[in-house]
Amino acid sequence: MSALDSVDSLLFFLSGAFCSPVAVFVQIQGCMICLTLAIGWAFAAYVRNREIKQMKESMRTGNSFAFLFHDVNALEHSNQVNLPRVSVVMPLKGFGEHNLHNWRSQITSLYGGPLEFLFVVESTEDPAYRAISLLISDFKDDIDAKIIMAGLSTTCSQKIHNQLVGVENMHKESKYVLFLDDDVRLHPGSIGALTAEMEKNPEIFIQTGYPLDLPSGSLGSYCIYEYHMPCSMGFATGGKTFFLWGGCMMMHADDFRQDRYGVVSGLQDGGYSDDMTLAAIAGAHKRLITSPPVAVFPHPLASDLSFSRYWNYLRKQTFVLESYTTRVNWLMNKALFSTHCYLSWGFVAPYFMAMIHVAAALQIYIKGYSYDETTCTSRGLLLVSCLTVCTFAELLSMWNLTRVEVHLCNMLSPEAPQLSLRTYNWVMVFIALLVDNFLYPISAMRSHFSQSINWSGIRYHLKNGKISKIERKKEKGPIFTDLGGKHLYGKKGAPPKASFLSSLARSLDQWRQPKKYDV
């Protein structure tokens, strides 16, 4: 038997095997996963689109500031003067191409109440220190902002340490604290919208939002976009949610002053992930987490985001499920771990089977075999057709949600360069769907057995779900972070001239004339 005949026999054997009841179940399950995602994204698009319609209706009635408030009366001085004080805490690490634009969007908020910005860095050696110092000096007469040196963390992650140091230094009259990551690009009315919801419902424990990824063109950036999209369903409820994103969290300042529900001690005592820890606390104490429909933020990914940096990011995301605070939290994380792994490979497997069915059918056609001489080929092609239709529905729903969120972001930031769907490559999106779902279980398994992770040059070790050891080696680790392409190291007091100046020049150019996302 020739090698080609052997290949043909293998194809026909696999095609027949993939028509067994178990294999058919796997393929039908893949179709159901696609349809479930399509329905979830359709609902999320409905919630976001409802907000767009409300804004348009408000503008039709003469409110040209609908991107700030639906009710124009909210802009009256009598209402603005009574707005509560908000402290914005931003833990910083490194400086990259989009940071300057992001920081500008944060400090130029149109919130009418008292507002302070606390930028927290580990030390003056961080490249972010020099960059944010220059930015604050440009706005020194217009904003209340300061830089705080947090020092090194010893019992929790560096990000959590920076957040808690920021909380310790917030104004004594602040009613709310807003934690923001440095890759969050706010809308002018974001802080006002979050505060209004907190004022409307004092039972809210945490308000959160979610990023709209803007892929840079590389496969790694599309894998990041695809990874975040399923989670977007949980943040597009227009109200109560069980999900929490650490990039944007507004909370009551007194919860930290009084260590209510153990928010400070829970984070400080071995906390690795701020959002997972706070979500566990909220669940344990039956506290309310909400996500308003306007809380969706443009998130441009680094133009040089490589596949290896995507893999490092995925490793950090799966490692989060290894941290926990209580037994119940551990059980929930393990259930999420198992479900996500099962569904990820359950999503990929039908496409592998479909490829075999199609290859077998092509061999039959090319060599002139009779379909009666082969096993289950017609049934296999029927399953392939069903999977194709379901995949198309899934991609169409993903495209529609992205379209709606792009439109909403453009309306919420009318002064900014308009975003466009034309930068998205949907063939790359489909490839990223397969790649990311194939790699997720591998990353999750590695995280489970390693119990340690390198995060921005610092290696954290977990024991019983909490950080037990922090390693900072004398030799420097990775010089870039995963998503933003940020420089992590620099000379004391300022980053290296070439590195900083080139990054600052790119950031200024993108802030003034960002071409990649221009219409």
Side-chain angles (χ1 to χ4, degrees), residues 242-313:
F242 298 101
F243 295 85
L244 184 59
W245 178 51
C248 174
M249 302 184 298
M250 177 173 276
M251 302 180 65
H252 295 271
D254 281 345
D255 287 349
F256 285 89
R257 295 189 182 103
Q258 301 171 19
D259 193 16
R260 197 173 289 156
Y261 313 114
V263 293
V264 174
S265 53
L267 290 168
Q268 204 167 45
D269 182 21
Y272 168 74
S273 169
D274 53 338
D275 47 15
M276 291 292 285
T277 302
L278 290 172
I281 292 173
H285 295 275
K286 305 294 189 295
R287 307 309 301 164
L288 179 62
I289 301 175
T290 65
S291 182
V294 295
V296 55
F297 310 107
H299 181 215
L301 299 172
S303 57
D304 59 347
L305 200 157
S306 63
F307 193 79
S308 62
R309 274 160 51 191
Y310 150 71
W311 170 251
N312 289 335
Y313 175 78

Side-chain angles (χ1 to χ4, degrees), residues 307 310-311 314-319 322 337 340-342 344-345 348 434-450:
F307 193 79
Y310 150 71
W311 170 251
L314 184 63
R315 282 272 293 112
K316 289 193 295 186
Q317 294 301 300
T318 55
F319 188 75
E322 298 303 314
F337 170 93
H340 200 155
C341 289
Y342 175 81
S344 289
W345 275 355
V348 173
L434 299 178
V435 172
D436 182 63
N437 280 284
F438 175 75
L439 291 177
Y440 182 90
I442 299 174
S443 175
M445 291 295 181
R446 182 174 176 184
S447 296
H448 176 71
F449 289 108
S450 69

Side-chain angles (χ1 to χ4, degrees), residues 46-93:
Y46 167 77
V47 172
R48 304 288 194 197
N49 198 47
R50 186 173 57 189
E51 183 66 22
I52 292 174
K53 291 180 179 178
Q54 290 179 355
M55 290 176 64
K56 288 182 176 179
E57 180 61 29
S58 182
M59 287 188 285
R60 275 195 293 267
T61 58
N63 180 13
S64 56
F65 295 98
F67 64 96
L68 296 177
F69 297 100
H70 289 279
D71 183 5
V72 70
N73 294 323
L75 291 169
E76 293 288 342
H77 177 72
S78 58
N79 292 321
Q80 294 288 301
V81 74
N82 293 321
L83 290 173
R85 176 179 287 275
V86 177
S87 293
V88 182
V89 175
M90 285 164 280
L92 306 182
K93 180 73 173 179

Side-chain angles (χ1 to χ4, degrees), residues 140-167:
K140 60 182 178 181
D141 297 326
D142 302 313
I143 62 171
D144 178 8
K146 59 183 175 180
I147 305 174
I148 300 171
M149 305 300 153
L152 300 178
S153 64
T154 57
T155 62
C156 58
S157 69
Q158 187 66 44
K159 178 186 177 182
I160 289 178
H161 176 68
N162 287 14
Q163 289 173 324
L164 294 179
V165 170
V167 165

Side-chain angles (χ1 to χ4, degrees), residues 177-235:
V177 56
L178 174 62
F179 297 105
L180 293 177
D181 281 356
D182 59 7
D183 56 359
V184 174
R185 185 167 296 180
L186 288 186
H187 307 292
S190 293
I191 297 178
L194 293 169
T195 306
E197 290 295 322
M198 297 289 281
E199 289 288 282
K200 188 186 304 180
N201 184 2
E203 294 300 314
I204 295 176
F205 179 55
I206 308 176
Q207 265 202 109
T208 188
Y210 204 63
L212 167 63
D213 289 327
L214 305 174
S216 59
S218 67
L219 177 59
S221 68
Y222 277 102
C223 285
I224 297 293
Y225 164 74
E226 186 283 324
Y227 176 80
H228 284 157
M229 280 303 287
C231 299
S232 64
M233 292 181 280
F235 291 87

